[in-house]
Amino acid sequence: MKKGSVGVKPENLMPVDIPSTWKAMEALYDSGKARAIGVSNFSTKKLATLLELARVPPAVNQVECHPSWQQTKLREFCKSKGVHLTAYSPLGSPGTTWLKSDVLKNPILNTVAEKLGKSPAQVALRWGLQMGNSVLPKSTNEGRIRENFEVFDWSIPDDLFAKFSEIEQARLLNASFFVHETLSPYKSLEDLWDGEI
Ligand code: A2P
């Protein structure tokens, strides 16, 4: 399997029964086996539907989030409902062979990094933290792991922080492998992401 890919074929996808799945999650929470329960890759619409039926609301929604896919609408919704947003691919997964990621090469990110004397990766992570997100950067390299931890004793000043709103937005991981006109419950990317693409 390619680095960062998912071993799922459309023909193996089943329609997910979210209400009964969530009930089972709540039972785990009630039993004390899980201290918190949450979701991943939920669009605003899917999260709203879940919140309507949930007795225990999800603590977290883990989604793709970085300066080039800021999840503005979803983040506002999560905030208004007290659901924490955790960012996967906070660096835009630069080493993933099947993705064309240039998040860390973004000129605005690089200008800010240069001005602050930090690496683009550190600024991307710090941006996420200042947005109120958790960030889950991945590295197999000790030096970069250390670099990624050095984001807690400085901040991006307001004037530079405002520049992030100028960054062109594009979802990187569109998960098109979940989409199939007949075999998958998700017939199109619109369908899969409820228009948030
Ligand atoms: P490596 O393991 O060689 O450090 P994400 O967390 O967004 O999915 O990105 C993970 C990718 O980002 C990995 O390929 C990792 O490569 C690379 N990476 C992690 N930290 C840094 C960093 N500080 N600068 C550049 N690339 C990084």
Side-chain angles (χ1 to χ4, degrees), residues 17-89:
D17 180 347
I18 290 178
S20 66
T21 305
W22 194 252
K23 269 206 175 68
M25 300 274 282
E26 288 175 329
L28 270 178
Y29 178 81
D30 292 339
S31 74
K33 285 182 184 152
R35 277 187 290 170
I37 51 176
V39 293
S40 182
N41 287 322
F42 267 44
S43 63
T44 308
K45 185 178 168 193
K46 288 186 179 71
L47 190 56
T49 306
L50 177 62
L51 285 167
E52 269 172 33
L53 61 89
R55 180 171 51 78
V56 181
V60 64
N61 186 15
Q62 187 184 131
V63 293
E64 176 188 344
C65 190
H66 46 72
S68 299
W69 187 243
Q70 300 183 12
Q71 298 275 18
T72 308
K73 180 181 170 197
L74 179 64
R75 200 183 47 251
E76 283 306 312
F77 184 71
C78 283
K79 200 173 163 197
S80 73
K81 299 292 179 187
V83 178
H84 183 72
L85 192 151
T86 295
Y88 70 69
S89 297

Side-chain angles (χ1 to χ4, degrees), residues 85-122:
L85 192 151
T86 295
Y88 70 69
S89 297
L91 307 172
S93 299
T96 312
T97 49
W98 52 286
L99 281 180
K100 226 177 142 7
S101 170
D102 52 8
V103 173
L104 293 184
K105 294 190 189 125
N106 180 273
I108 294 176
L109 180 68
N110 278 267
T111 304
V112 174
E114 233 166 75
K115 286 199 171 146
L116 296 174
K118 304 291 178 189
S119 71
Q122 288 174 318

